[in-house]
Amino acid sequence: MLRALLCAAAFALPVSAFAFTASDLNRLCMKTDVASRAACAAYVEGAADGVFNTIDAIGGTTGPRVGQYFCLPPDARSAQLTDAVRKYIAENPNVAGYNASTAVSLGLGRAFPCKSGS
């Protein structure tokens, strides 16, 4: 029985993860309870790490170093990243249906662009 539940969960997770949109992320980040705020920050930070490392690993095509779409300052705080992403989503309503990680990448790219020589 437990094995069947684990298999069902494994098939359900990829579907739900794929469906997490920029609008869903923004709704999560608007909540004020501690768990939601932590989940929002964790998603933004995790997506930022994933996007940066993936693009860097496959040899992307932009940025001062190949693969960089955004350049976070070393002292960047979680709240700054979350605020930048939420601002981008608010100012660009057309991204509401995009995958949430795409919105994170675009928002951070707008707020923390790479400069030549970075």
Side-chain angles (χ1 to χ4, degrees):
M1 179 66 168
L2 181 58
R3 190 175 300 167
L5 286 174
L6 290 174
C7 287
F11 287 117
L13 285 177
V15 172
S16 63
F18 180 78
F20 194 64
T21 66
S23 181
D24 296 330
L25 177 61
N26 198 42
R27 273 194 300 279
L28 174 66
C29 295
M30 288 173 58
K31 294 181 180 180
T32 58
D33 63 283
V34 174
S36 296
R37 301 291 286 178
C40 168
Y43 185 90
V44 170
E45 290 180 38
D49 282 346
V51 167
F52 182 86
N53 290 328
T54 300
I55 298 300
D56 196 43
I58 63 173
T61 59
T62 65
R65 281 188 30 219
V66 172
Q68 287 185 276
Y69 289 143
F70 51 84
C71 294
L72 300 179
D75 60 346
R77 301 283 183 243
S78 180
Q80 291 173 288
L81 306 183
T82 301
D83 290 347
V85 172
R86 289 190 63 211
K87 179 179 180 189
Y88 183 81
I89 294 169
E91 292 176 352
N92 298 278
N94 60 310
V95 304
Y98 287 15
N99 184 286
S101 63
T102 300
V104 169
S105 182
L106 294 170
L108 295 178
R110 174 75 55 87
F112 303 102
C114 296
K115 296 171 179 65
S116 293
S118 292

